[in-house]
Amino acid sequence: FVKSYPEAALHSSCFQAAECIQFPNVIIRRAEKSDLKSLTELARKTFSQTFGHDYSTSALAMRLDRNLKESDIAGAMDNDIFFVAQDEDKLVGFIQFGEPDIVATDNSQELHRIYVDKDYQGQGTGRLLMDVALRHPRLLRAPQIFLVVWEHNLKARKFYGRYGFDVTDNLELVAVSGVDPDVHLAMVRHRRKP
Protein backbone atom coordinates (compact mmCIF):
# COMPACT_ATOMS: atom_id res chain seq x y z
CA PHE A 1 0.00 0.00 0.00
CA VAL A 2 2.92 2.35 -0.49
CA LYS A 3 2.62 4.89 -3.29
CA SER A 4 5.64 5.41 -5.47
CA TYR A 5 7.17 8.86 -5.33
CA PRO A 6 10.05 9.84 -7.62
CA GLU A 7 12.01 11.16 -4.64
CA ALA A 8 11.05 8.30 -2.33
CA ALA A 9 13.16 5.30 -1.49
CA LEU A 10 12.70 2.43 0.88
CA HIS A 11 14.53 3.07 4.11
CA SER A 12 16.97 0.39 5.23
CA SER A 13 15.63 0.32 8.80
CA CYS A 14 12.11 -0.65 7.73
CA PHE A 15 10.86 -3.97 9.00
CA GLN A 16 8.36 -4.36 6.18
CA ALA A 17 8.81 -2.48 2.93
CA ALA A 18 5.06 -1.94 2.67
CA GLU A 19 5.05 0.07 5.89
CA CYS A 20 7.90 2.50 5.33
CA ILE A 21 8.94 5.07 2.74
CA GLN A 22 11.41 7.92 2.67
CA PHE A 23 10.77 11.34 1.13
CA PRO A 24 13.45 13.14 0.83
CA ASN A 25 14.72 13.21 4.47
CA VAL A 26 11.52 12.04 6.15
CA ILE A 27 10.65 8.37 6.50
CA ILE A 28 7.12 7.11 7.13
CA ARG A 29 6.99 3.96 9.23
CA ARG A 30 4.70 2.08 11.58
CA ALA A 31 4.91 3.43 15.13
CA GLU A 32 6.45 1.20 17.78
CA LYS A 33 5.96 1.12 21.55
CA SER A 34 9.42 2.67 21.92
CA ASP A 35 8.01 5.80 20.19
CA LEU A 36 5.51 6.47 22.98
CA LYS A 37 7.32 9.30 24.74
CA SER A 38 8.26 11.11 21.51
CA LEU A 39 4.80 10.53 20.06
CA THR A 40 3.15 12.03 23.14
CA GLU A 41 5.45 15.05 23.06
CA LEU A 42 4.73 15.54 19.35
CA ALA A 43 0.96 15.25 19.86
CA ARG A 44 1.01 17.85 22.63
CA LYS A 45 3.29 20.18 20.66
CA THR A 46 1.32 20.03 17.40
CA PHE A 47 -2.04 20.36 19.16
CA SER A 48 -0.71 23.47 20.92
CA GLN A 49 0.72 24.86 17.66
CA THR A 50 -2.58 24.42 15.85
CA PHE A 51 -5.18 25.18 18.51
CA GLY A 52 -3.32 26.87 21.37
CA HIS A 53 -4.38 30.36 20.29
CA ASP A 54 -8.03 29.35 20.78
CA TYR A 55 -7.62 28.38 24.44
CA SER A 56 -6.62 30.21 27.58
CA THR A 57 -3.39 28.91 29.08
CA SER A 58 -5.26 26.99 31.77
CA ALA A 59 -7.85 25.57 29.36
CA LEU A 60 -5.10 24.39 26.99
CA ALA A 61 -3.24 22.73 29.87
CA MET A 62 -6.47 20.97 30.94
CA ARG A 63 -7.15 19.83 27.37
CA LEU A 64 -3.63 18.43 26.97
CA ASP A 65 -3.75 16.72 30.37
CA ARG A 66 -7.16 15.23 29.72
CA ASN A 67 -6.66 13.99 26.15
CA LEU A 68 -2.97 13.83 25.31
CA LYS A 69 -1.19 12.26 28.25
CA GLU A 70 1.28 9.47 27.66
CA SER A 71 -1.27 6.98 29.05
CA ASP A 72 -3.85 8.23 26.50
CA ILE A 73 -1.45 7.69 23.60
CA ALA A 74 -0.41 4.29 25.00
CA GLY A 75 -4.05 3.20 25.18
CA ALA A 76 -4.66 4.41 21.65
CA MET A 77 -1.59 2.51 20.43
CA ASP A 78 -3.10 -0.68 21.87
CA ASN A 79 -6.25 -0.25 19.78
CA ASP A 80 -5.38 1.89 16.76
CA ILE A 81 -2.79 1.94 14.03
CA PHE A 82 -0.19 4.70 14.03
CA PHE A 83 2.26 5.66 11.32
CA VAL A 84 4.95 8.21 12.11
CA ALA A 85 6.97 10.62 10.00
CA GLN A 86 10.57 10.68 11.16
CA ASP A 87 13.40 13.05 10.18
CA GLU A 88 16.61 11.43 11.33
CA ASP A 89 15.91 10.67 15.01
CA LYS A 90 13.05 13.15 15.44
CA LEU A 91 9.33 12.39 15.01
CA VAL A 92 7.75 15.20 12.97
CA GLY A 93 4.25 13.87 12.30
CA PHE A 94 1.86 10.98 12.76
CA ILE A 95 -1.45 9.59 11.63
CA GLN A 96 -3.75 7.48 13.82
CA PHE A 97 -6.77 5.46 12.66
CA GLY A 98 -8.98 2.70 13.98
CA GLU A 99 -12.48 1.89 15.14
CA PRO A 100 -14.82 4.89 14.92
CA ASP A 101 -15.73 6.97 17.94
CA ILE A 102 -18.39 9.02 16.17
CA VAL A 103 -20.47 6.31 14.48
CA ALA A 104 -21.20 2.62 14.85
CA THR A 105 -21.19 1.26 11.33
CA ASP A 106 -19.94 -2.23 10.49
CA ASN A 107 -16.31 -2.22 9.37
CA SER A 108 -16.14 1.57 9.11
CA GLN A 109 -12.99 3.23 10.38
CA GLU A 110 -12.12 6.65 11.72
CA LEU A 111 -9.09 8.80 11.07
CA HIS A 112 -8.56 9.97 14.65
CA ARG A 113 -5.55 12.24 14.21
CA ILE A 114 -3.11 13.49 11.65
CA TYR A 115 -0.62 15.84 13.27
CA VAL A 116 2.42 17.36 11.58
CA ASP A 117 4.94 19.65 13.26
CA LYS A 118 4.51 23.20 12.00
CA ASP A 119 8.09 23.23 10.64
CA TYR A 120 7.23 20.27 8.37
CA GLN A 121 3.84 21.43 7.10
CA GLY A 122 3.56 22.30 3.42
CA GLN A 123 6.37 19.91 2.51
CA GLY A 124 4.35 16.78 1.69
CA THR A 125 4.64 15.12 5.10
CA GLY A 126 0.88 15.08 5.74
CA ARG A 127 0.26 13.81 2.21
CA LEU A 128 2.70 10.95 2.72
CA LEU A 129 1.08 9.99 6.02
CA MET A 130 -2.40 10.06 4.46
CA ASP A 131 -1.29 8.09 1.38
CA VAL A 132 0.27 5.35 3.51
CA ALA A 133 -2.78 5.17 5.80
CA LEU A 134 -5.29 4.99 2.94
CA ARG A 135 -3.37 2.06 1.48
CA HIS A 136 -3.48 0.10 4.72
CA PRO A 137 -5.74 -3.00 4.38
CA ARG A 138 -7.89 -1.87 7.32
CA LEU A 139 -8.83 1.36 5.51
CA LEU A 140 -8.97 -0.26 2.08
CA ARG A 141 -11.68 -2.65 3.38
CA ALA A 142 -13.65 0.04 5.21
CA PRO A 143 -16.91 1.01 3.50
CA GLN A 144 -16.56 4.45 5.10
CA ILE A 145 -13.78 6.40 6.79
CA PHE A 146 -14.88 9.12 9.18
CA LEU A 147 -13.05 12.04 10.74
CA VAL A 148 -13.87 15.13 12.78
CA VAL A 149 -12.37 18.53 11.95
CA TRP A 150 -12.80 21.97 13.47
CA GLU A 151 -14.98 24.08 11.17
CA HIS A 152 -12.44 26.94 11.07
CA ASN A 153 -9.51 24.68 10.16
CA LEU A 154 -9.87 25.49 6.46
CA LYS A 155 -6.43 24.16 5.59
CA ALA A 156 -7.30 20.71 7.00
CA ARG A 157 -10.76 20.71 5.41
CA LYS A 158 -9.22 21.44 2.00
CA PHE A 159 -6.61 18.72 2.55
CA TYR A 160 -9.28 16.14 3.45
CA GLY A 161 -11.43 17.23 0.52
CA ARG A 162 -8.60 16.36 -1.88
CA TYR A 163 -8.85 12.81 -0.56
CA GLY A 164 -12.58 12.56 -1.17
CA PHE A 165 -13.84 13.41 2.33
CA ASP A 166 -17.13 15.32 2.37
CA VAL A 167 -18.87 17.10 5.25
CA THR A 168 -21.81 15.07 6.54
CA ASP A 169 -22.76 16.65 9.85
CA ASN A 170 -22.08 19.42 12.37
CA LEU A 171 -21.03 18.34 15.85
CA GLU A 172 -20.92 20.23 19.12
CA LEU A 173 -18.14 18.68 21.17
CA VAL A 174 -17.81 19.01 24.91
CA ALA A 175 -14.38 20.15 26.10
CA VAL A 176 -12.91 20.16 29.60
CA SER A 177 -13.84 23.80 29.98
CA GLY A 178 -17.40 23.23 28.75
CA VAL A 179 -18.83 23.19 25.25
CA ASP A 180 -16.36 24.29 22.58
CA PRO A 181 -17.58 27.61 21.22
CA ASP A 182 -17.13 26.44 17.64
CA VAL A 183 -18.68 23.70 15.58
CA HIS A 184 -16.74 20.64 14.49
CA LEU A 185 -17.58 18.91 11.24
CA ALA A 186 -17.93 15.20 10.63
CA MET A 187 -16.49 14.20 7.28
CA VAL A 188 -16.76 10.86 5.51
CA ARG A 189 -15.00 9.17 2.61
CA HIS A 190 -16.84 6.27 0.98
CA ARG A 191 -14.98 3.27 -0.40
CA ARG A 192 -14.27 3.72 -4.06
CA LYS A 193 -15.75 1.13 -6.36
CA PRO A 194 -13.14 -0.68 -8.49
Side-chain angles (χ1 to χ4, degrees):
F1 57 88
V2 173
K3 185 172 183 172
S4 295
Y5 293 93
E7 303 89 345
L10 292 176
H11 190 266
S12 61
S13 68
C14 299
F15 296 110
Q16 295 180 3
E19 294 187 353
C20 184
I21 58 175
Q22 183 173 353
F23 180 87
N25 294 323
V26 173
I27 62 167
I28 306 297
R29 64 172 176 78
R30 186 87 179 251
E32 302 167 359
K33 288 290 186 185
S34 60
D35 295 318
L36 179 61
K37 182 176 172 38
S38 297
L39 197 55
T40 303
E41 290 169 359
L42 176 64
R44 293 171 69 91
K45 176 183 178 182
T46 55
F47 185 90
S48 297
Q49 288 173 334
T50 305
F51 304 110
H53 61 278
D54 293 317
Y55 290 92
S56 68
T57 303
S58 61
L60 177 61
M62 280 196 309
R63 180 77 184 242
L64 295 174
D65 289 341
R66 177 170 251 191
N67 298 308
L68 291 175
K69 294 184 303 291
E70 196 167 294
S71 60
D72 297 322
I73 301 298
M77 289 180 82
D78 288 340
N79 297 312
D80 294 337
I81 295 174
F82 283 75
F83 283 95
V84 295
Q86 182 176 335
D87 184 0
E88 296 185 12
D89 61 348
K90 175 183 172 185
L91 295 187
V92 298
F94 74 92
I95 192 165
Q96 170 194 353
F97 58 91
E99 297 295 321
D101 291 333
I102 61 172
V103 294
T105 305
D106 292 340
N107 299 321
S108 289
Q109 294 288 294
E110 182 175 345
L111 175 60
H112 295 289
R113 294 184 179 105
I114 179 168
Y115 288 179
V116 176
D117 186 300
K118 197 171 208 152
D119 294 338
Y120 288 80
Q121 291 179 9
Q123 300 177 32
T125 304
R127 179 173 48 92
L128 287 172
L129 286 164
M130 182 68 91
D131 287 347
V132 168
L134 291 176
R135 283 169 179 71
H136 189 277
R138 198 163 166 178
L139 294 187
L140 284 173
R141 288 190 306 264
Q144 298 174 333
I145 304 168
F146 294 91
L147 62 85
V148 175
V149 63
W150 180 45
E151 71 173 334
H152 296 295
N153 193 342
L154 301 179
K155 185 176 170 184
R157 289 174 55 190
K158 183 178 178 183
F159 175 79
Y160 297 135
R162 287 194 303 260
Y163 282 93
F165 285 89
D166 296 309
V167 174
T168 60
D169 202 359
N170 294 337
L171 305 171
E172 190 173 279
L173 301 178
V174 177
V176 174
S177 56
V179 176
D180 281 342
D182 297 303
V183 173
H184 290 73
L185 305 174
M187 298 183 80
V188 66
R189 178 180 192 252
H190 298 279
R191 181 174 29 197
R192 308 247 164 107
K193 304 227 186 230

